[in-house]
Amino acid sequence: MPYVNKPRPYKKEYQQQLARGEADERLERQRARESIDKKNIDRDKDGRADVREGKDVAHIKALSKGGSNKNGVKLQTPSTNRSFKRGSNHKVMSETSASERKAKGKK
């Protein structure tokens, strides 16, 4: 179990994220979610648009492949959005999800 005898170094972790370039992509994902929430209605007042309940905001072109919010975003089920083939560094290798590959094979 990490950090049992000492406090977690949040500042150091944040600096490491900045050095790896993770902060920019995280901000891009946050802005995408915020834009969906601003455009749609939130009837239950939980801070999340009703159309986004139980869905992921997916970038049409993956951020790791050079995409941005300008390329567009869409709502997807979590299983579809997280089913991309990934490499050993956990980055997306193929932007075709498992369900899309399966559907393509049936044709």
Side-chain angles (χ1 to χ4, degrees):
M1 200 175 346
Y3 306 116
V4 175
N5 298 322
K6 58 184 177 181
R8 186 171 169 184
Y10 289 103
K11 189 180 285 188
K12 180 182 177 187
E13 288 180 15
Y14 180 65
Q15 294 302 323
Q16 289 172 337
Q17 286 178 0
L18 289 176
R20 290 189 299 252
E22 294 173 1
D24 296 334
E25 290 183 356
R26 178 174 42 84
L27 289 173
E28 198 77 10
R29 288 189 295 272
Q30 288 174 349
R31 284 189 208 111
R33 287 191 294 269
E34 288 170 4
S35 69
I36 296 283
D37 290 340
K38 284 180 185 176
K39 292 177 187 174
N40 296 291
I41 300 169
D42 180 20
R43 289 187 183 89
D44 56 3
K45 305 289 187 229
D46 66 349
R48 182 182 310 169
D50 293 341
V51 296
R52 197 165 76 83
E53 299 283 338
K55 302 278 185 181
D56 280 357
V57 177
H59 286 84
I60 292 174
K61 184 173 182 181
L63 293 176
S64 63
K65 297 291 183 187
S68 69
N69 290 342
K70 293 175 187 170
N71 298 102
V73 294
K74 59 186 174 183
L75 291 173
Q76 283 185 334
T77 61
S79 60
T80 303
N81 189 35
R82 300 171 194 177
S83 66
F84 295 106
K85 186 175 181 180
R86 296 182 184 272
S88 60
N89 62 355
H90 308 290
K91 299 259 182 182
V92 175
M93 288 177 61
S94 170
E95 291 192 45
T96 307
S97 68
S99 59
E100 291 172 337
R101 285 193 296 271
K102 185 186 273 186
K104 191 175 182 181
K106 289 182 180 179
K107 290 182 180 180

